[in-house]
Structure formats: structure tokens, C-alpha cells
Amino acid sequence: MGKPRLLDLENHFAFYGAYHSNPINILIHTLFVWPIFFTSLILSYFTPAFCDLSQSGIFPSGFNYALVLNYGSAFSIFLGLFYVVLDKKAGSLAALLCLACWVGASFIAAKLGYSLAWKVVLVSQLLCWTGQFLGHGIFEKRAPALLDNLVQALLMAPFFVLLEMRVNAKIKAEIEEWQDKKQKKVS
């Protein structure tokens, strides 16, 4: 019996990778996926807290007002753990990025306040999503993955960007090594 489909990284990578073969579209995703996640966390800062940690003393005094256990923190923790289960090495990096995004988004949201934060989020989301759709329409010439599987695309997009950079670097190194060996045989 194999891995459950949800925890099959190879399956996720194949699904998501099939929608991202054009280098310009890949660059657009690299630039815009994490900001979409980050700005979503800014907005989620304003969701109700599961518990109030401001008087707990868990965090240093300057952190208590900003770090709230709510839907944003829960989603960041869930996503980070999910990524670690999929791949310990890259997942750990992704989990740290999720945590850093939550902390950074919380501080920015606390500083901006709701009336300004939602405007910043709206502009950022519009810019990033427009870039994503243009990348697919103009360069990839294929609809985005989220139109075929919304949940998988949204869960895997941040992780895929990290894995893609790691895997593409390895692929490039392998190709260069092969070309060097081939060149030495010809000489």
C-alpha cells in the first residue's frame, strides 16, 4: 500500500509542474506566490482570536499585541506541518517561511490597522493574481492549475515554488555535467 494521495509529493509536483513549463511564467510565480500568501495573512490578522496571549507572557512584551492565535496562525501552522510531512528538508524551509510570513504579516497588520491593511492587501492581491493569470495566458498558454483543482493549487503553490527552484538548480547542474562529459569525449 502506497502513500495516501494527499501526502504524495511526487503526485503534487507532477500536477502543479504540468501547468508551469514556461520560464517567464515560472519567474512570475516565483515573484508572486509568496506575496499572495503573505498578504492573505495580513487580512487574516483581523479574524477573531482563538485565545488571547497578550497577558500570557509567552512572547516578549513587544510581540504580545501583534501575535494573535487566529485563523492566520492556524493556517500557517497547518501549511508548515503539511509541507514538512511531504518533504522534511524543503518542508522545513517552507514551514519557516510560513512562520516568518505569519509573524511579519501580524506586525504589519497591527501597525496598519484594518482600514489601511485591507487596501494594501487588495492592491497587492490584484497585482499578484493579475500577474499569475497573465503569465498563464500569455506565456504558458494554459489555464492555471487552480481552475482544475483549487485546493491543491492553493495549498501547493508556495511549496512548489521552493521545490521548483531546488529541482531546477539540480536539473541544470546535471545537464551541465552531462554536457561537460560529452564535450570531453568529443575532444
PDB file of all heavy atoms in Angstrom, residues 6-44:
ATOM      1  N   LEU A   6      -2.893  12.449  -0.770  1.00  0.00           N
ATOM      2  CA  LEU A   6      -2.684  13.774  -0.190  1.00  0.00           C
ATOM      3  C   LEU A   6      -1.230  13.991   0.214  1.00  0.00           C
ATOM      4  O   LEU A   6      -0.715  15.098   0.145  1.00  0.00           O
ATOM      5  CB  LEU A   6      -3.603  13.974   1.014  1.00  0.00           C
ATOM      6  CG  LEU A   6      -3.480  15.303   1.744  1.00  0.00           C
ATOM      7  CD1 LEU A   6      -3.917  16.458   0.830  1.00  0.00           C
ATOM      8  CD2 LEU A   6      -4.291  15.302   3.015  1.00  0.00           C
ATOM      9  N   LEU A   7      -0.544  12.944   0.608  1.00  0.00           N
ATOM     10  CA  LEU A   7       0.833  13.056   1.080  1.00  0.00           C
ATOM     11  C   LEU A   7       1.859  12.635   0.028  1.00  0.00           C
ATOM     12  O   LEU A   7       3.033  12.485   0.341  1.00  0.00           O
ATOM     13  CB  LEU A   7       1.022  12.227   2.349  1.00  0.00           C
ATOM     14  CG  LEU A   7       0.107  12.615   3.516  1.00  0.00           C
ATOM     15  CD1 LEU A   7       0.342  11.696   4.695  1.00  0.00           C
ATOM     16  CD2 LEU A   7       0.285  14.066   3.910  1.00  0.00           C
ATOM     17  N   ASP A   8       1.431  12.459  -1.193  1.00  0.00           N
ATOM     18  CA  ASP A   8       2.312  12.039  -2.279  1.00  0.00           C
ATOM     19  C   ASP A   8       2.900  13.269  -2.978  1.00  0.00           C
ATOM     20  O   ASP A   8       2.274  13.852  -3.864  1.00  0.00           O
ATOM     21  CB  ASP A   8       1.521  11.178  -3.270  1.00  0.00           C
ATOM     22  CG  ASP A   8       2.392  10.583  -4.362  1.00  0.00           C
ATOM     23  OD1 ASP A   8       3.592  10.934  -4.452  1.00  0.00           O
ATOM     24  OD2 ASP A   8       1.872   9.774  -5.137  1.00  0.00           O
ATOM     25  N   LEU A   9       4.101  13.642  -2.571  1.00  0.00           N
ATOM     26  CA  LEU A   9       4.757  14.834  -3.109  1.00  0.00           C
ATOM     27  C   LEU A   9       4.974  14.731  -4.607  1.00  0.00           C
ATOM     28  O   LEU A   9       4.784  15.703  -5.342  1.00  0.00           O
ATOM     29  CB  LEU A   9       6.093  15.084  -2.399  1.00  0.00           C
ATOM     30  CG  LEU A   9       6.880  16.301  -2.863  1.00  0.00           C
ATOM     31  CD1 LEU A   9       6.067  17.576  -2.678  1.00  0.00           C
ATOM     32  CD2 LEU A   9       8.193  16.402  -2.124  1.00  0.00           C
ATOM     33  N   GLU A  10       5.337  13.556  -5.067  1.00  0.00           N
ATOM     34  CA  GLU A  10       5.567  13.350  -6.493  1.00  0.00           C
ATOM     35  C   GLU A  10       4.290  13.655  -7.299  1.00  0.00           C
ATOM     36  O   GLU A  10       4.337  14.299  -8.339  1.00  0.00           O
ATOM     37  CB  GLU A  10       6.009  11.910  -6.718  1.00  0.00           C
ATOM     38  CG  GLU A  10       6.792  11.695  -7.975  1.00  0.00           C
ATOM     39  CD  GLU A  10       7.361  10.284  -8.026  1.00  0.00           C
ATOM     40  OE1 GLU A  10       8.346  10.020  -7.316  1.00  0.00           O
ATOM     41  OE2 GLU A  10       6.792   9.464  -8.776  1.00  0.00           O
ATOM     42  N   ASN A  11       3.170  13.200  -6.797  1.00  0.00           N
ATOM     43  CA  ASN A  11       1.882  13.452  -7.442  1.00  0.00           C
ATOM     44  C   ASN A  11       1.576  14.959  -7.476  1.00  0.00           C
ATOM     45  O   ASN A  11       1.166  15.496  -8.505  1.00  0.00           O
ATOM     46  CB  ASN A  11       0.772  12.691  -6.704  1.00  0.00           C
ATOM     47  CG  ASN A  11      -0.592  12.970  -7.272  1.00  0.00           C
ATOM     48  OD1 ASN A  11      -0.827  12.828  -8.466  1.00  0.00           O
ATOM     49  ND2 ASN A  11      -1.494  13.382  -6.412  1.00  0.00           N
ATOM     50  N   HIS A  12       1.773  15.632  -6.342  1.00  0.00           N
ATOM     51  CA  HIS A  12       1.536  17.081  -6.277  1.00  0.00           C
ATOM     52  C   HIS A  12       2.457  17.824  -7.244  1.00  0.00           C
ATOM     53  O   HIS A  12       2.039  18.741  -7.945  1.00  0.00           O
ATOM     54  CB  HIS A  12       1.766  17.609  -4.859  1.00  0.00           C
ATOM     55  CG  HIS A  12       0.714  17.231  -3.882  1.00  0.00           C
ATOM     56  ND1 HIS A  12      -0.601  17.596  -4.014  1.00  0.00           N
ATOM     57  CD2 HIS A  12       0.782  16.520  -2.731  1.00  0.00           C
ATOM     58  CE1 HIS A  12      -1.303  17.135  -2.992  1.00  0.00           C
ATOM     59  NE2 HIS A  12      -0.479  16.472  -2.203  1.00  0.00           N
ATOM     60  N   PHE A  13       3.722  17.429  -7.246  1.00  0.00           N
ATOM     61  CA  PHE A  13       4.705  18.108  -8.096  1.00  0.00           C
ATOM     62  C   PHE A  13       4.368  17.910  -9.571  1.00  0.00           C
ATOM     63  O   PHE A  13       4.456  18.847 -10.362  1.00  0.00           O
ATOM     64  CB  PHE A  13       6.114  17.594  -7.788  1.00  0.00           C
ATOM     65  CG  PHE A  13       7.196  18.500  -8.294  1.00  0.00           C
ATOM     66  CD1 PHE A  13       7.567  19.615  -7.580  1.00  0.00           C
ATOM     67  CD2 PHE A  13       7.841  18.238  -9.486  1.00  0.00           C
ATOM     68  CE1 PHE A  13       8.560  20.462  -8.044  1.00  0.00           C
ATOM     69  CE2 PHE A  13       8.833  19.076  -9.968  1.00  0.00           C
ATOM     70  CZ  PHE A  13       9.194  20.193  -9.232  1.00  0.00           C
ATOM     71  N   ALA A  14       3.961  16.702  -9.930  1.00  0.00           N
ATOM     72  CA  ALA A  14       3.604  16.423 -11.325  1.00  0.00           C
ATOM     73  C   ALA A  14       2.377  17.231 -11.736  1.00  0.00           C
ATOM     74  O   ALA A  14       2.340  17.820 -12.825  1.00  0.00           O
ATOM     75  CB  ALA A  14       3.351  14.937 -11.527  1.00  0.00           C
ATOM     76  N   PHE A  15       1.369  17.284 -10.868  1.00  0.00           N
ATOM     77  CA  PHE A  15       0.157  18.047 -11.176  1.00  0.00           C
ATOM     78  C   PHE A  15       0.489  19.521 -11.371  1.00  0.00           C
ATOM     79  O   PHE A  15       0.158  20.117 -12.387  1.00  0.00           O
ATOM     80  CB  PHE A  15      -0.880  17.896 -10.046  1.00  0.00           C
ATOM     81  CG  PHE A  15      -2.023  18.872 -10.147  1.00  0.00           C
ATOM     82  CD1 PHE A  15      -3.071  18.648 -11.027  1.00  0.00           C
ATOM     83  CD2 PHE A  15      -2.043  20.024  -9.368  1.00  0.00           C
ATOM     84  CE1 PHE A  15      -4.126  19.550 -11.126  1.00  0.00           C
ATOM     85  CE2 PHE A  15      -3.086  20.930  -9.467  1.00  0.00           C
ATOM     86  CZ  PHE A  15      -4.130  20.694 -10.346  1.00  0.00           C
ATOM     87  N   TYR A  16       1.167  20.088 -10.398  1.00  0.00           N
ATOM     88  CA  TYR A  16       1.440  21.527 -10.435  1.00  0.00           C
ATOM     89  C   TYR A  16       2.472  21.862 -11.517  1.00  0.00           C
ATOM     90  O   TYR A  16       2.353  22.857 -12.209  1.00  0.00           O
ATOM     91  CB  TYR A  16       1.919  21.999  -9.058  1.00  0.00           C
ATOM     92  CG  TYR A  16       1.656  23.455  -8.828  1.00  0.00           C
ATOM     93  CD1 TYR A  16       0.397  23.895  -8.434  1.00  0.00           C
ATOM     94  CD2 TYR A  16       2.652  24.408  -9.007  1.00  0.00           C
ATOM     95  CE1 TYR A  16       0.149  25.236  -8.225  1.00  0.00           C
ATOM     96  CE2 TYR A  16       2.403  25.741  -8.805  1.00  0.00           C
ATOM     97  CZ  TYR A  16       1.155  26.156  -8.408  1.00  0.00           C
ATOM     98  OH  TYR A  16       0.900  27.478  -8.204  1.00  0.00           O
ATOM     99  N   GLY A  17       3.468  21.014 -11.664  1.00  0.00           N
ATOM    100  CA  GLY A  17       4.512  21.247 -12.657  1.00  0.00           C
ATOM    101  C   GLY A  17       4.001  21.215 -14.079  1.00  0.00           C
ATOM    102  O   GLY A  17       4.530  21.901 -14.961  1.00  0.00           O
ATOM    103  N   ALA A  18       2.962  20.446 -14.326  1.00  0.00           N
ATOM    104  CA  ALA A  18       2.390  20.364 -15.671  1.00  0.00           C
ATOM    105  C   ALA A  18       1.824  21.700 -16.131  1.00  0.00           C
ATOM    106  O   ALA A  18       1.675  21.938 -17.322  1.00  0.00           O
ATOM    107  CB  ALA A  18       1.302  19.293 -15.707  1.00  0.00           C
ATOM    108  N   TYR A  19       1.545  22.586 -15.196  1.00  0.00           N
ATOM    109  CA  TYR A  19       0.986  23.901 -15.513  1.00  0.00           C
ATOM    110  C   TYR A  19       2.057  24.989 -15.577  1.00  0.00           C
ATOM    111  O   TYR A  19       1.743  26.150 -15.801  1.00  0.00           O
ATOM    112  CB  TYR A  19      -0.052  24.305 -14.462  1.00  0.00           C
ATOM    113  CG  TYR A  19      -1.290  23.464 -14.508  1.00  0.00           C
ATOM    114  CD1 TYR A  19      -1.339  22.236 -13.856  1.00  0.00           C
ATOM    115  CD2 TYR A  19      -2.403  23.880 -15.213  1.00  0.00           C
ATOM    116  CE1 TYR A  19      -2.477  21.457 -13.894  1.00  0.00           C
ATOM    117  CE2 TYR A  19      -3.557  23.104 -15.263  1.00  0.00           C
ATOM    118  CZ  TYR A  19      -3.579  21.895 -14.602  1.00  0.00           C
ATOM    119  OH  TYR A  19      -4.707  21.132 -14.644  1.00  0.00           O
ATOM    120  N   HIS A  20       3.308  24.606 -15.362  1.00  0.00           N
ATOM    121  CA  HIS A  20       4.381  25.597 -15.272  1.00  0.00           C
ATOM    122  C   HIS A  20       5.632  25.109 -15.994  1.00  0.00           C
ATOM    123  O   HIS A  20       6.561  24.614 -15.382  1.00  0.00           O
ATOM    124  CB  HIS A  20       4.703  25.882 -13.805  1.00  0.00           C
ATOM    125  CG  HIS A  20       3.507  26.322 -13.030  1.00  0.00           C
ATOM    126  ND1 HIS A  20       2.713  25.444 -12.347  1.00  0.00           N
ATOM    127  CD2 HIS A  20       2.956  27.550 -12.867  1.00  0.00           C
ATOM    128  CE1 HIS A  20       1.716  26.121 -11.787  1.00  0.00           C
ATOM    129  NE2 HIS A  20       1.842  27.392 -12.093  1.00  0.00           N
ATOM    130  N   SER A  21       5.649  25.298 -17.300  1.00  0.00           N
ATOM    131  CA  SER A  21       6.823  24.880 -18.068  1.00  0.00           C
ATOM    132  C   SER A  21       7.532  26.072 -18.711  1.00  0.00           C
ATOM    133  O   SER A  21       8.700  25.965 -19.056  1.00  0.00           O
ATOM    134  CB  SER A  21       6.425  23.865 -19.142  1.00  0.00           C
ATOM    135  OG  SER A  21       5.473  24.439 -20.016  1.00  0.00           O
ATOM    136  N   ASN A  22       6.848  27.179 -18.861  1.00  0.00           N
ATOM    137  CA  ASN A  22       7.444  28.364 -19.477  1.00  0.00           C
ATOM    138  C   ASN A  22       8.288  29.111 -18.452  1.00  0.00           C
ATOM    139  O   ASN A  22       7.808  29.426 -17.354  1.00  0.00           O
ATOM    140  CB  ASN A  22       6.342  29.271 -20.025  1.00  0.00           C
ATOM    141  CG  ASN A  22       6.909  30.504 -20.678  1.00  0.00           C
ATOM    142  OD1 ASN A  22       7.275  31.449 -19.997  1.00  0.00           O
ATOM    143  ND2 ASN A  22       6.985  30.484 -21.997  1.00  0.00           N
ATOM    144  N   PRO A  23       9.550  29.434 -18.777  1.00  0.00           N
ATOM    145  CA  PRO A  23      10.436  30.092 -17.804  1.00  0.00           C
ATOM    146  C   PRO A  23       9.917  31.448 -17.310  1.00  0.00           C
ATOM    147  O   PRO A  23      10.110  31.793 -16.142  1.00  0.00           O
ATOM    148  CB  PRO A  23      11.749  30.278 -18.564  1.00  0.00           C
ATOM    149  CG  PRO A  23      11.665  29.407 -19.756  1.00  0.00           C
ATOM    150  CD  PRO A  23      10.234  29.119 -20.023  1.00  0.00           C
ATOM    151  N   ILE A  24       9.245  32.197 -18.157  1.00  0.00           N
ATOM    152  CA  ILE A  24       8.722  33.502 -17.721  1.00  0.00           C
ATOM    153  C   ILE A  24       7.555  33.295 -16.766  1.00  0.00           C
ATOM    154  O   ILE A  24       7.446  33.983 -15.744  1.00  0.00           O
ATOM    155  CB  ILE A  24       8.316  34.374 -18.931  1.00  0.00           C
ATOM    156  CG1 ILE A  24       9.565  34.701 -19.746  1.00  0.00           C
ATOM    157  CG2 ILE A  24       7.618  35.656 -18.475  1.00  0.00           C
ATOM    158  CD1 ILE A  24       9.306  35.403 -21.055  1.00  0.00           C
ATOM    159  N   ASN A  25       6.700  32.336 -17.054  1.00  0.00           N
ATOM    160  CA  ASN A  25       5.597  32.030 -16.139  1.00  0.00           C
ATOM    161  C   ASN A  25       6.137  31.530 -14.800  1.00  0.00           C
ATOM    162  O   ASN A  25       5.616  31.876 -13.745  1.00  0.00           O
ATOM    163  CB  ASN A  25       4.653  31.007 -16.765  1.00  0.00           C
ATOM    164  CG  ASN A  25       3.396  30.821 -15.959  1.00  0.00           C
ATOM    165  OD1 ASN A  25       2.811  31.787 -15.468  1.00  0.00           O
ATOM    166  ND2 ASN A  25       2.976  29.588 -15.811  1.00  0.00           N
ATOM    167  N   ILE A  26       7.177  30.732 -14.842  1.00  0.00           N
ATOM    168  CA  ILE A  26       7.800  30.244 -13.611  1.00  0.00           C
ATOM    169  C   ILE A  26       8.357  31.417 -12.808  1.00  0.00           C
ATOM    170  O   ILE A  26       8.177  31.489 -11.590  1.00  0.00           O
ATOM    171  CB  ILE A  26       8.905  29.205 -13.930  1.00  0.00           C
ATOM    172  CG1 ILE A  26       8.266  27.930 -14.489  1.00  0.00           C
ATOM    173  CG2 ILE A  26       9.742  28.902 -12.698  1.00  0.00           C
ATOM    174  CD1 ILE A  26       9.262  26.937 -15.067  1.00  0.00           C
ATOM    175  N   LEU A  27       9.002  32.359 -13.475  1.00  0.00           N
ATOM    176  CA  LEU A  27       9.520  33.549 -12.790  1.00  0.00           C
ATOM    177  C   LEU A  27       8.386  34.352 -12.166  1.00  0.00           C
ATOM    178  O   LEU A  27       8.491  34.805 -11.019  1.00  0.00           O
ATOM    179  CB  LEU A  27      10.311  34.424 -13.772  1.00  0.00           C
ATOM    180  CG  LEU A  27      10.824  35.748 -13.201  1.00  0.00           C
ATOM    181  CD1 LEU A  27      11.846  35.502 -12.096  1.00  0.00           C
ATOM    182  CD2 LEU A  27      11.428  36.592 -14.307  1.00  0.00           C
ATOM    183  N   ILE A  28       7.301  34.518 -12.903  1.00  0.00           N
ATOM    184  CA  ILE A  28       6.144  35.252 -12.378  1.00  0.00           C
ATOM    185  C   ILE A  28       5.629  34.557 -11.112  1.00  0.00           C
ATOM    186  O   ILE A  28       5.343  35.220 -10.104  1.00  0.00           O
ATOM    187  CB  ILE A  28       5.034  35.361 -13.454  1.00  0.00           C
ATOM    188  CG1 ILE A  28       5.471  36.339 -14.551  1.00  0.00           C
ATOM    189  CG2 ILE A  28       3.704  35.790 -12.833  1.00  0.00           C
ATOM    190  CD1 ILE A  28       4.582  36.339 -15.791  1.00  0.00           C
ATOM    191  N   HIS A  29       5.540  33.241 -11.136  1.00  0.00           N
ATOM    192  CA  HIS A  29       5.083  32.513  -9.957  1.00  0.00           C
ATOM    193  C   HIS A  29       6.062  32.670  -8.801  1.00  0.00           C
ATOM    194  O   HIS A  29       5.650  32.849  -7.661  1.00  0.00           O
ATOM    195  CB  HIS A  29       4.866  31.038 -10.284  1.00  0.00           C
ATOM    196  CG  HIS A  29       3.549  30.786 -10.909  1.00  0.00           C
ATOM    197  ND1 HIS A  29       3.221  31.250 -12.156  1.00  0.00           N
ATOM    198  CD2 HIS A  29       2.448  30.146 -10.445  1.00  0.00           C
ATOM    199  CE1 HIS A  29       1.994  30.895 -12.439  1.00  0.00           C
ATOM    200  NE2 HIS A  29       1.498  30.224 -11.422  1.00  0.00           N
ATOM    201  N   THR A  30       7.340  32.612  -9.108  1.00  0.00           N
ATOM    202  CA  THR A  30       8.353  32.772  -8.069  1.00  0.00           C
ATOM    203  C   THR A  30       8.217  34.133  -7.383  1.00  0.00           C
ATOM    204  O   THR A  30       8.364  34.235  -6.171  1.00  0.00           O
ATOM    205  CB  THR A  30       9.763  32.616  -8.681  1.00  0.00           C
ATOM    206  OG1 THR A  30       9.845  31.320  -9.292  1.00  0.00           O
ATOM    207  CG2 THR A  30      10.840  32.741  -7.635  1.00  0.00           C
ATOM    208  N   LEU A  31       7.897  35.164  -8.164  1.00  0.00           N
ATOM    209  CA  LEU A  31       7.773  36.520  -7.614  1.00  0.00           C
ATOM    210  C   LEU A  31       6.450  36.762  -6.888  1.00  0.00           C
ATOM    211  O   LEU A  31       6.412  37.548  -5.946  1.00  0.00           O
ATOM    212  CB  LEU A  31       7.930  37.556  -8.731  1.00  0.00           C
ATOM    213  CG  LEU A  31       9.286  37.607  -9.424  1.00  0.00           C
ATOM    214  CD1 LEU A  31       9.256  38.592 -10.588  1.00  0.00           C
ATOM    215  CD2 LEU A  31      10.375  37.983  -8.428  1.00  0.00           C
ATOM    216  N   PHE A  32       5.372  36.109  -7.308  1.00  0.00           N
ATOM    217  CA  PHE A  32       4.045  36.492  -6.819  1.00  0.00           C
ATOM    218  C   PHE A  32       3.362  35.514  -5.864  1.00  0.00           C
ATOM    219  O   PHE A  32       2.428  35.907  -5.165  1.00  0.00           O
ATOM    220  CB  PHE A  32       3.106  36.761  -7.993  1.00  0.00           C
ATOM    221  CG  PHE A  32       3.435  38.004  -8.767  1.00  0.00           C
ATOM    222  CD1 PHE A  32       3.278  38.025 -10.140  1.00  0.00           C
ATOM    223  CD2 PHE A  32       3.903  39.150  -8.149  1.00  0.00           C
ATOM    224  CE1 PHE A  32       3.570  39.168 -10.871  1.00  0.00           C
ATOM    225  CE2 PHE A  32       4.200  40.293  -8.870  1.00  0.00           C
ATOM    226  CZ  PHE A  32       4.038  40.307 -10.233  1.00  0.00           C
ATOM    227  N   VAL A  33       3.769  34.263  -5.814  1.00  0.00           N
ATOM    228  CA  VAL A  33       3.053  33.294  -4.985  1.00  0.00           C
ATOM    229  C   VAL A  33       3.185  33.609  -3.495  1.00  0.00           C
ATOM    230  O   VAL A  33       2.184  33.670  -2.769  1.00  0.00           O
ATOM    231  CB  VAL A  33       3.512  31.848  -5.296  1.00  0.00           C
ATOM    232  CG1 VAL A  33       3.074  30.883  -4.215  1.00  0.00           C
ATOM    233  CG2 VAL A  33       2.938  31.412  -6.640  1.00  0.00           C
ATOM    234  N   TRP A  34       4.391  33.812  -3.014  1.00  0.00           N
ATOM    235  CA  TRP A  34       4.557  34.083  -1.580  1.00  0.00           C
ATOM    236  C   TRP A  34       3.931  35.411  -1.162  1.00  0.00           C
ATOM    237  O   TRP A  34       3.357  35.480  -0.062  1.00  0.00           O
ATOM    238  CB  TRP A  34       6.034  33.971  -1.167  1.00  0.00           C
ATOM    239  CG  TRP A  34       6.422  32.535  -0.989  1.00  0.00           C
ATOM    240  CD1 TRP A  34       6.986  31.705  -1.920  1.00  0.00           C
ATOM    241  CD2 TRP A  34       6.214  31.723   0.164  1.00  0.00           C
ATOM    242  NE1 TRP A  34       7.145  30.442  -1.411  1.00  0.00           N
ATOM    243  CE2 TRP A  34       6.683  30.421  -0.131  1.00  0.00           C
ATOM    244  CE3 TRP A  34       5.675  31.968   1.417  1.00  0.00           C
ATOM    245  CZ2 TRP A  34       6.640  29.379   0.797  1.00  0.00           C
ATOM    246  CZ3 TRP A  34       5.630  30.919   2.342  1.00  0.00           C
ATOM    247  CH2 TRP A  34       6.105  29.649   2.031  1.00  0.00           C
ATOM    248  N   PRO A  35       3.985  36.470  -1.968  1.00  0.00           N
ATOM    249  CA  PRO A  35       3.258  37.690  -1.586  1.00  0.00           C
ATOM    250  C   PRO A  35       1.740  37.486  -1.476  1.00  0.00           C
ATOM    251  O   PRO A  35       1.097  38.118  -0.639  1.00  0.00           O
ATOM    252  CB  PRO A  35       3.598  38.689  -2.698  1.00  0.00           C
ATOM    253  CG  PRO A  35       4.940  38.244  -3.173  1.00  0.00           C
ATOM    254  CD  PRO A  35       4.894  36.742  -3.090  1.00  0.00           C
ATOM    255  N   ILE A  36       1.168  36.608  -2.283  1.00  0.00           N
ATOM    256  CA  ILE A  36      -0.261  36.301  -2.150  1.00  0.00           C
ATOM    257  C   ILE A  36      -0.519  35.678  -0.780  1.00  0.00           C
ATOM    258  O   ILE A  36      -1.447  36.068  -0.066  1.00  0.00           O
ATOM    259  CB  ILE A  36      -0.738  35.365  -3.285  1.00  0.00           C
ATOM    260  CG1 ILE A  36      -0.790  36.131  -4.613  1.00  0.00           C
ATOM    261  CG2 ILE A  36      -2.101  34.756  -2.955  1.00  0.00           C
ATOM    262  CD1 ILE A  36      -1.051  35.256  -5.834  1.00  0.00           C
ATOM    263  N   PHE A  37       0.312  34.725  -0.406  1.00  0.00           N
ATOM    264  CA  PHE A  37       0.178  34.084   0.912  1.00  0.00           C
ATOM    265  C   PHE A  37       0.366  35.115   2.024  1.00  0.00           C
ATOM    266  O   PHE A  37      -0.432  35.197   2.956  1.00  0.00           O
ATOM    267  CB  PHE A  37       1.198  32.940   1.032  1.00  0.00           C
ATOM    268  CG  PHE A  37       1.232  32.285   2.379  1.00  0.00           C
ATOM    269  CD1 PHE A  37       0.164  31.513   2.815  1.00  0.00           C
ATOM    270  CD2 PHE A  37       2.323  32.427   3.206  1.00  0.00           C
ATOM    271  CE1 PHE A  37       0.183  30.900   4.066  1.00  0.00           C
ATOM    272  CE2 PHE A  37       2.365  31.815   4.452  1.00  0.00           C
ATOM    273  CZ  PHE A  37       1.284  31.055   4.882  1.00  0.00           C
ATOM    274  N   PHE A  38       1.410  35.925   1.913  1.00  0.00           N
ATOM    275  CA  PHE A  38       1.740  36.916   2.935  1.00  0.00           C
ATOM    276  C   PHE A  38       0.603  37.916   3.143  1.00  0.00           C
ATOM    277  O   PHE A  38       0.193  38.186   4.268  1.00  0.00           O
ATOM    278  CB  PHE A  38       3.043  37.643   2.545  1.00  0.00           C
ATOM    279  CG  PHE A  38       3.501  38.633   3.571  1.00  0.00           C
ATOM    280  CD1 PHE A  38       4.211  38.220   4.680  1.00  0.00           C
ATOM    281  CD2 PHE A  38       3.239  39.991   3.426  1.00  0.00           C
ATOM    282  CE1 PHE A  38       4.647  39.128   5.633  1.00  0.00           C
ATOM    283  CE2 PHE A  38       3.661  40.905   4.366  1.00  0.00           C
ATOM    284  CZ  PHE A  38       4.371  40.472   5.480  1.00  0.00           C
ATOM    285  N   THR A  39       0.098  38.463   2.048  1.00  0.00           N
ATOM    286  CA  THR A  39      -0.959  39.466   2.188  1.00  0.00           C
ATOM    287  C   THR A  39      -2.273  38.842   2.653  1.00  0.00           C
ATOM    288  O   THR A  39      -3.068  39.511   3.315  1.00  0.00           O
ATOM    289  CB  THR A  39      -1.158  40.270   0.882  1.00  0.00           C
ATOM    290  OG1 THR A  39      -1.435  39.377  -0.194  1.00  0.00           O
ATOM    291  CG2 THR A  39       0.064  41.113   0.571  1.00  0.00           C
ATOM    292  N   SER A  40      -2.490  37.570   2.352  1.00  0.00           N
ATOM    293  CA  SER A  40      -3.663  36.878   2.900  1.00  0.00           C
ATOM    294  C   SER A  40      -3.559  36.802   4.420  1.00  0.00           C
ATOM    295  O   SER A  40      -4.559  36.950   5.130  1.00  0.00           O
ATOM    296  CB  SER A  40      -3.780  35.471   2.328  1.00  0.00           C
ATOM    297  OG  SER A  40      -3.983  35.512   0.942  1.00  0.00           O
ATOM    298  N   LEU A  41      -2.346  36.596   4.908  1.00  0.00           N
ATOM    299  CA  LEU A  41      -2.136  36.547   6.356  1.00  0.00           C
ATOM    300  C   LEU A  41      -2.334  37.919   6.996  1.00  0.00           C
ATOM    301  O   LEU A  41      -2.778  38.007   8.143  1.00  0.00           O
ATOM    302  CB  LEU A  41      -0.746  35.998   6.678  1.00  0.00           C
ATOM    303  CG  LEU A  41      -0.538  34.521   6.380  1.00  0.00           C
ATOM    304  CD1 LEU A  41       0.917  34.122   6.656  1.00  0.00           C
ATOM    305  CD2 LEU A  41      -1.495  33.649   7.171  1.00  0.00           C
ATOM    306  N   ILE A  42      -1.998  38.978   6.272  1.00  0.00           N
ATOM    307  CA  ILE A  42      -2.270  40.327   6.800  1.00  0.00           C
ATOM    308  C   ILE A  42      -3.760  40.481   7.062  1.00  0.00           C
ATOM    309  O   ILE A  42      -4.176  40.925   8.133  1.00  0.00           O
ATOM    310  CB  ILE A  42      -1.762  41.430   5.839  1.00  0.00           C
ATOM    311  CG1 ILE A  42      -0.239  41.460   5.817  1.00  0.00           C
ATOM    312  CG2 ILE A  42      -2.320  42.798   6.246  1.00  0.00           C
ATOM    313  CD1 ILE A  42       0.353  42.435   4.806  1.00  0.00           C
ATOM    314  N   LEU A  43      -4.561  40.095   6.099  1.00  0.00           N
ATOM    315  CA  LEU A  43      -6.007  40.221   6.252  1.00  0.00           C
ATOM    316  C   LEU A  43      -6.542  39.272   7.331  1.00  0.00           C
ATOM    317  O   LEU A  43      -7.428  39.639   8.102  1.00  0.00           O
ATOM    318  CB  LEU A  43      -6.695  39.960   4.916  1.00  0.00           C
ATOM    319  CG  LEU A  43      -8.052  40.610   4.731  1.00  0.00           C
ATOM    320  CD1 LEU A  43      -8.007  42.103   4.986  1.00  0.00           C
ATOM    321  CD2 LEU A  43      -8.562  40.348   3.334  1.00  0.00           C
ATOM    322  N   SER A  44      -5.979  38.073   7.404  1.00  0.00           N
ATOM    323  CA  SER A  44      -6.461  37.106   8.397  1.00  0.00           C
ATOM    324  C   SER A  44      -6.127  37.534   9.826  1.00  0.00           C
ATOM    325  O   SER A  44      -6.715  37.016  10.778  1.00  0.00           O
ATOM    326  CB  SER A  44      -5.899  35.712   8.116  1.00  0.00           C
ATOM    327  OG  SER A  44      -4.533  35.650   8.441  1.00  0.00           O
TER     328      SER A  44
END
